[in-house]
Every structure is written in C-alpha cells, then in structure tokens.
Amino acid sequence: MDQGAIAEGRAGAAGTGPEPATVAGSRVRILTYNIRHCRGTDGRVAPERVAEVIAATGADIVALQEVDVGRARTGGLDQADEIARLLGMTPHFHPALHIEEERYGDAILTRLPSRLMRAGPLPGLVRRPGLEPRGALWVEIAVGALRLQVVTTHLGLLGAERIAQTEALLGADWLGDPACRAPTVLLGDFNATSWTRAYHRLTRRLTDARRIAGRNEGRRGGASFPSRFPLLRLDRVFVGEGLTVERLAVVDGPLPRRASDHLPVFADIRLDDR
C-alpha cells in the first residue's frame, strides 16, 4: 500500500497519515465508505480487501453503503457480517432494497458499545416509482461516558429525490427526534456536491466536517469519487453541536483505489464532555 504522507486532506491507507485510532477519553475516529458491494475497480469481489482498507485507518466507527447481504451476484455472503468479523466489530445493517432473500443497503460497524435506534426507508418520487429505494440507519454509540448519535445514508441520484430524502432526515423520525440529541453525526454517500440544494439544506442544520477540519488544519478534505481519479466530493461527514472535528481526510493509495469505486473518508472527532 501507499506509504505517502497526508497532503490536502488525503491520507494513505497504511502506515501513513491515519495513526491507529483508539477511543481516548471523548475522541473517536469515524469513517464512511461506499464499498460498491465489495466489487473493486478490477472487477473482483473481495470483502477481505475492503476490511484491510478499513483496518489500516484504525477507525472506531464505520459507516458502509452499497452492502450486499445474501445476494446471488456476490455469492450469497452477508457482507456486513463478514467485514465486521474481519475487523472485530459489531454490525448493524438496514436493507434499503429487499427482494425475497436478497438484501442491499447500509451498515454501521463498531467495536464500541452500541444500540440500534432506527432503521427505515427514505422517500422517493411518486412520479418515478422505478428509482432505487433508499434508506437510513441510526445507531447510538457509547464513547466513554458519552453517547454519540450516528446516522448513515445513501441518497438518490436525482436532485428532487435528494431534497425529499434530506427533508425526511431532518424531520421528526430522524435528526428531529428528541432521542437524537447532541452530539450527532450524519455521514454517508450523499451524491451531492457543495452547490446542490440538498447540501445547502443539510448545512442549515449541520456543519460539513470538511469546513471545520480546514479551519483547524489549514487544508480541506479531497474528492473521493471515482476512486481511480477522484474528482467529486460525494462522501461526506456532517456534525452537530458538541463536536469538534480535529482532522478529516480521504484514504488514498493503490489498495483503496482497487477495493471500490469510492475512496473512504474519515474524521477524527472530539466530543464536548461539558
């Protein structure tokens, strides 16, 4: 794997910028990663390769998108369970798509104490019934004596679709639920650049972690898609009150560029214990 140093918010996958992260007091490393059902840019399905990329980052909490469970195209494997097993973590999974025994959706993995708070669908467009179904997953995670609310999602490809889904996420069932009290992190593949309406709607309530990290470190996180030649920032971390983002970086290098068509993005976060 690449042994280069961090530059412009980009980190190598092993032995580079991401020093192994352990929960120290109220600090935690959280990562989001669209794994494209573990099918790499070389066409090979390899959950162990995805797990290796994640393990090298030392992440404590991992949000995954495009996870296959029991699907014929990936050998019927429960990818959420297998990746969690390889990492020594506990998986939480929500299938946005469920056809007979085949499931496909989002997961949150962690080695910290956790409990599932909510898993469910997000709205599509009534006039476009054939769009891929989307969902979200909310898990409460104990970070020392504190409780962190972690919500992950993978929004749709159409602007109107993303707006409907963003409004739902900000509504009473998700971030607007009284149980989803600060501190809160929303992360995943938003299919939204910084000039889209969905992005601006989210930043009225939450803060893009890249902006805080850029202010703290004098640099900004880089693009994560497509992995072979990253151009777009689609994979994002948003934070609420009570959180400080100490660092944010895209995980880059030969292995991450093969393992999926997205690169992972991690953020080092400090919880305000006051």
Side-chain angles (χ1 to χ4, degrees), residues 65-85:
Q65 302 84 45
E66 296 195 15
V67 182
D68 271 7
V69 171
R71 301 202 72 181
R73 69 180 181 180
T74 46
L77 185 68
D78 183 330
Q79 293 185 338
D81 188 70
E82 176 64 9
I83 295 170
R85 182 189 68 80

PDB file of all heavy atoms in Angstrom, residues 65-85:
ATOM      1  N   GLN A  65     -21.915   1.927   2.729  1.00  0.00           N
ATOM      2  CA  GLN A  65     -23.035   1.980   1.798  1.00  0.00           C
ATOM      3  C   GLN A  65     -22.814   0.948   0.684  1.00  0.00           C
ATOM      4  O   GLN A  65     -21.690   0.545   0.426  1.00  0.00           O
ATOM      5  CB  GLN A  65     -23.177   3.382   1.182  1.00  0.00           C
ATOM      6  CG  GLN A  65     -23.374   4.499   2.208  1.00  0.00           C
ATOM      7  CD  GLN A  65     -22.065   4.994   2.774  1.00  0.00           C
ATOM      8  OE1 GLN A  65     -21.093   5.225   2.045  1.00  0.00           O
ATOM      9  NE2 GLN A  65     -22.000   5.149   4.093  1.00  0.00           N
ATOM     10  N   GLU A  66     -23.918   0.562   0.046  1.00  0.00           N
ATOM     11  CA  GLU A  66     -23.918  -0.433  -1.039  1.00  0.00           C
ATOM     12  C   GLU A  66     -23.380  -1.782  -0.552  1.00  0.00           C
ATOM     13  O   GLU A  66     -22.457  -2.356  -1.117  1.00  0.00           O
ATOM     14  CB  GLU A  66     -23.142   0.077  -2.265  1.00  0.00           C
ATOM     15  CG  GLU A  66     -23.779   1.307  -2.894  1.00  0.00           C
ATOM     16  CD  GLU A  66     -23.254   1.604  -4.292  1.00  0.00           C
ATOM     17  OE1 GLU A  66     -22.608   0.743  -4.914  1.00  0.00           O
ATOM     18  OE2 GLU A  66     -23.525   2.731  -4.781  1.00  0.00           O
ATOM     19  N   VAL A  67     -24.005  -2.267   0.502  1.00  0.00           N
ATOM     20  CA  VAL A  67     -23.613  -3.529   1.124  1.00  0.00           C
ATOM     21  C   VAL A  67     -24.577  -4.629   0.682  1.00  0.00           C
ATOM     22  O   VAL A  67     -25.797  -4.481   0.791  1.00  0.00           O
ATOM     23  CB  VAL A  67     -23.645  -3.411   2.662  1.00  0.00           C
ATOM     24  CG1 VAL A  67     -23.187  -4.709   3.309  1.00  0.00           C
ATOM     25  CG2 VAL A  67     -22.790  -2.234   3.131  1.00  0.00           C
ATOM     26  N   ASP A  68     -24.050  -5.735   0.199  1.00  0.00           N
ATOM     27  CA  ASP A  68     -24.862  -6.895  -0.200  1.00  0.00           C
ATOM     28  C   ASP A  68     -24.981  -7.883   0.950  1.00  0.00           C
ATOM     29  O   ASP A  68     -23.998  -8.187   1.631  1.00  0.00           O
ATOM     30  CB  ASP A  68     -24.207  -7.625  -1.384  1.00  0.00           C
ATOM     31  CG  ASP A  68     -24.639  -7.085  -2.733  1.00  0.00           C
ATOM     32  OD1 ASP A  68     -25.341  -6.046  -2.766  1.00  0.00           O
ATOM     33  OD2 ASP A  68     -24.251  -7.682  -3.757  1.00  0.00           O
ATOM     34  N   VAL A  69     -26.181  -8.410   1.128  1.00  0.00           N
ATOM     35  CA  VAL A  69     -26.417  -9.486   2.094  1.00  0.00           C
ATOM     36  C   VAL A  69     -27.277 -10.545   1.410  1.00  0.00           C
ATOM     37  O   VAL A  69     -28.417 -10.281   1.019  1.00  0.00           O
ATOM     38  CB  VAL A  69     -27.119  -8.966   3.364  1.00  0.00           C
ATOM     39  CG1 VAL A  69     -27.547 -10.138   4.260  1.00  0.00           C
ATOM     40  CG2 VAL A  69     -26.204  -8.015   4.130  1.00  0.00           C
ATOM     41  N   GLY A  70     -26.700 -11.731   1.220  1.00  0.00           N
ATOM     42  CA  GLY A  70     -27.448 -12.837   0.624  1.00  0.00           C
ATOM     43  C   GLY A  70     -27.780 -12.654  -0.841  1.00  0.00           C
ATOM     44  O   GLY A  70     -28.743 -13.253  -1.328  1.00  0.00           O
ATOM     45  N   ARG A  71     -26.996 -11.892  -1.579  1.00  0.00           N
ATOM     46  CA  ARG A  71     -27.286 -11.657  -2.990  1.00  0.00           C
ATOM     47  C   ARG A  71     -26.486 -12.613  -3.872  1.00  0.00           C
ATOM     48  O   ARG A  71     -25.293 -12.860  -3.644  1.00  0.00           O
ATOM     49  CB  ARG A  71     -26.967 -10.210  -3.382  1.00  0.00           C
ATOM     50  CG  ARG A  71     -27.747  -9.186  -2.568  1.00  0.00           C
ATOM     51  CD  ARG A  71     -27.843  -7.872  -3.285  1.00  0.00           C
ATOM     52  NE  ARG A  71     -28.754  -7.946  -4.420  1.00  0.00           N
ATOM     53  CZ  ARG A  71     -29.015  -6.924  -5.243  1.00  0.00           C
ATOM     54  NH1 ARG A  71     -28.402  -5.766  -5.059  1.00  0.00           N
ATOM     55  NH2 ARG A  71     -29.841  -7.068  -6.239  1.00  0.00           N
ATOM     56  N   ALA A  72     -27.153 -13.108  -4.897  1.00  0.00           N
ATOM     57  CA  ALA A  72     -26.522 -14.087  -5.783  1.00  0.00           C
ATOM     58  C   ALA A  72     -25.294 -13.506  -6.469  1.00  0.00           C
ATOM     59  O   ALA A  72     -24.302 -14.214  -6.678  1.00  0.00           O
ATOM     60  CB  ALA A  72     -27.533 -14.568  -6.820  1.00  0.00           C
ATOM     61  N   ARG A  73     -25.332 -12.213  -6.811  1.00  0.00           N
ATOM     62  CA  ARG A  73     -24.224 -11.623  -7.578  1.00  0.00           C
ATOM     63  C   ARG A  73     -22.922 -11.604  -6.794  1.00  0.00           C
ATOM     64  O   ARG A  73     -21.848 -11.484  -7.369  1.00  0.00           O
ATOM     65  CB  ARG A  73     -24.596 -10.207  -8.025  1.00  0.00           C
ATOM     66  CG  ARG A  73     -24.682  -9.193  -6.902  1.00  0.00           C
ATOM     67  CD  ARG A  73     -25.053  -7.821  -7.413  1.00  0.00           C
ATOM     68  NE  ARG A  73     -25.111  -6.840  -6.334  1.00  0.00           N
ATOM     69  CZ  ARG A  73     -25.418  -5.561  -6.517  1.00  0.00           C
ATOM     70  NH1 ARG A  73     -25.678  -5.100  -7.728  1.00  0.00           N
ATOM     71  NH2 ARG A  73     -25.462  -4.737  -5.483  1.00  0.00           N
ATOM     72  N   THR A  74     -23.016 -11.696  -5.448  1.00  0.00           N
ATOM     73  CA  THR A  74     -21.805 -11.695  -4.623  1.00  0.00           C
ATOM     74  C   THR A  74     -21.718 -12.971  -3.772  1.00  0.00           C
ATOM     75  O   THR A  74     -21.216 -12.952  -2.635  1.00  0.00           O
ATOM     76  CB  THR A  74     -21.747 -10.439  -3.732  1.00  0.00           C
ATOM     77  OG1 THR A  74     -23.022 -10.217  -3.114  1.00  0.00           O
ATOM     78  CG2 THR A  74     -21.397  -9.218  -4.560  1.00  0.00           C
ATOM     79  N   GLY A  75     -22.228 -14.052  -4.323  1.00  0.00           N
ATOM     80  CA  GLY A  75     -22.049 -15.364  -3.710  1.00  0.00           C
ATOM     81  C   GLY A  75     -22.884 -15.632  -2.479  1.00  0.00           C
ATOM     82  O   GLY A  75     -22.593 -16.566  -1.726  1.00  0.00           O
ATOM     83  N   GLY A  76     -23.922 -14.828  -2.247  1.00  0.00           N
ATOM     84  CA  GLY A  76     -24.814 -15.053  -1.118  1.00  0.00           C
ATOM     85  C   GLY A  76     -24.240 -14.671   0.233  1.00  0.00           C
ATOM     86  O   GLY A  76     -24.839 -14.955   1.276  1.00  0.00           O
ATOM     87  N   LEU A  77     -23.093 -14.019   0.252  1.00  0.00           N
ATOM     88  CA  LEU A  77     -22.423 -13.681   1.504  1.00  0.00           C
ATOM     89  C   LEU A  77     -23.136 -12.536   2.216  1.00  0.00           C
ATOM     90  O   LEU A  77     -23.680 -11.627   1.583  1.00  0.00           O
ATOM     91  CB  LEU A  77     -20.982 -13.274   1.216  1.00  0.00           C
ATOM     92  CG  LEU A  77     -20.079 -12.985   2.419  1.00  0.00           C
ATOM     93  CD1 LEU A  77     -19.804 -14.256   3.200  1.00  0.00           C
ATOM     94  CD2 LEU A  77     -18.764 -12.350   1.948  1.00  0.00           C
ATOM     95  N   ASP A  78     -23.130 -12.570   3.534  1.00  0.00           N
ATOM     96  CA  ASP A  78     -23.554 -11.438   4.348  1.00  0.00           C
ATOM     97  C   ASP A  78     -22.332 -10.532   4.501  1.00  0.00           C
ATOM     98  O   ASP A  78     -21.482 -10.749   5.365  1.00  0.00           O
ATOM     99  CB  ASP A  78     -24.056 -11.922   5.708  1.00  0.00           C
ATOM    100  CG  ASP A  78     -24.593 -10.788   6.582  1.00  0.00           C
ATOM    101  OD1 ASP A  78     -24.115  -9.649   6.455  1.00  0.00           O
ATOM    102  OD2 ASP A  78     -25.474 -11.057   7.420  1.00  0.00           O
ATOM    103  N   GLN A  79     -22.228  -9.525   3.639  1.00  0.00           N
ATOM    104  CA  GLN A  79     -21.028  -8.696   3.621  1.00  0.00           C
ATOM    105  C   GLN A  79     -20.877  -7.854   4.882  1.00  0.00           C
ATOM    106  O   GLN A  79     -19.751  -7.647   5.368  1.00  0.00           O
ATOM    107  CB  GLN A  79     -21.016  -7.795   2.384  1.00  0.00           C
ATOM    108  CG  GLN A  79     -20.874  -8.567   1.082  1.00  0.00           C
ATOM    109  CD  GLN A  79     -20.731  -7.646  -0.121  1.00  0.00           C
ATOM    110  OE1 GLN A  79     -21.114  -6.479  -0.093  1.00  0.00           O
ATOM    111  NE2 GLN A  79     -20.185  -8.179  -1.203  1.00  0.00           N
ATOM    112  N   ALA A  80     -21.984  -7.381   5.451  1.00  0.00           N
ATOM    113  CA  ALA A  80     -21.894  -6.599   6.683  1.00  0.00           C
ATOM    114  C   ALA A  80     -21.307  -7.448   7.799  1.00  0.00           C
ATOM    115  O   ALA A  80     -20.404  -7.019   8.531  1.00  0.00           O
ATOM    116  CB  ALA A  80     -23.264  -6.065   7.081  1.00  0.00           C
ATOM    117  N   ASP A  81     -21.797  -8.667   7.921  1.00  0.00           N
ATOM    118  CA  ASP A  81     -21.321  -9.555   8.975  1.00  0.00           C
ATOM    119  C   ASP A  81     -19.871  -9.974   8.747  1.00  0.00           C
ATOM    120  O   ASP A  81     -19.067 -10.019   9.678  1.00  0.00           O
ATOM    121  CB  ASP A  81     -22.222 -10.789   9.046  1.00  0.00           C
ATOM    122  CG  ASP A  81     -21.908 -11.661  10.244  1.00  0.00           C
ATOM    123  OD1 ASP A  81     -22.201 -11.233  11.368  1.00  0.00           O
ATOM    124  OD2 ASP A  81     -21.360 -12.763  10.051  1.00  0.00           O
ATOM    125  N   GLU A  82     -19.521 -10.253   7.485  1.00  0.00           N
ATOM    126  CA  GLU A  82     -18.167 -10.719   7.182  1.00  0.00           C
ATOM    127  C   GLU A  82     -17.136  -9.620   7.416  1.00  0.00           C
ATOM    128  O   GLU A  82     -16.076  -9.865   8.018  1.00  0.00           O
ATOM    129  CB  GLU A  82     -18.091 -11.207   5.740  1.00  0.00           C
ATOM    130  CG  GLU A  82     -16.705 -11.632   5.270  1.00  0.00           C
ATOM    131  CD  GLU A  82     -16.139 -12.837   6.012  1.00  0.00           C
ATOM    132  OE1 GLU A  82     -16.891 -13.466   6.793  1.00  0.00           O
ATOM    133  OE2 GLU A  82     -14.960 -13.152   5.806  1.00  0.00           O
ATOM    134  N   ILE A  83     -17.409  -8.414   6.963  1.00  0.00           N
ATOM    135  CA  ILE A  83     -16.461  -7.323   7.172  1.00  0.00           C
ATOM    136  C   ILE A  83     -16.337  -7.019   8.661  1.00  0.00           C
ATOM    137  O   ILE A  83     -15.230  -6.802   9.176  1.00  0.00           O
ATOM    138  CB  ILE A  83     -16.888  -6.076   6.377  1.00  0.00           C
ATOM    139  CG1 ILE A  83     -16.811  -6.366   4.873  1.00  0.00           C
ATOM    140  CG2 ILE A  83     -16.005  -4.877   6.729  1.00  0.00           C
ATOM    141  CD1 ILE A  83     -17.443  -5.294   4.011  1.00  0.00           C
ATOM    142  N   ALA A  84     -17.466  -7.034   9.381  1.00  0.00           N
ATOM    143  CA  ALA A  84     -17.418  -6.809  10.821  1.00  0.00           C
ATOM    144  C   ALA A  84     -16.596  -7.897  11.515  1.00  0.00           C
ATOM    145  O   ALA A  84     -15.810  -7.611  12.427  1.00  0.00           O
ATOM    146  CB  ALA A  84     -18.832  -6.778  11.388  1.00  0.00           C
ATOM    147  N   ARG A  85     -16.756  -9.138  11.090  1.00  0.00           N
ATOM    148  CA  ARG A  85     -15.991 -10.242  11.683  1.00  0.00           C
ATOM    149  C   ARG A  85     -14.495 -10.037  11.477  1.00  0.00           C
ATOM    150  O   ARG A  85     -13.695 -10.214  12.403  1.00  0.00           O
ATOM    151  CB  ARG A  85     -16.432 -11.566  11.073  1.00  0.00           C
ATOM    152  CG  ARG A  85     -15.739 -12.792  11.661  1.00  0.00           C
ATOM    153  CD  ARG A  85     -16.055 -14.047  10.877  1.00  0.00           C
ATOM    154  NE  ARG A  85     -15.463 -14.023   9.547  1.00  0.00           N
ATOM    155  CZ  ARG A  85     -14.184 -14.308   9.284  1.00  0.00           C
ATOM    156  NH1 ARG A  85     -13.346 -14.623  10.275  1.00  0.00           N
ATOM    157  NH2 ARG A  85     -13.723 -14.267   8.045  1.00  0.00           N
TER     158      ARG A  85
END
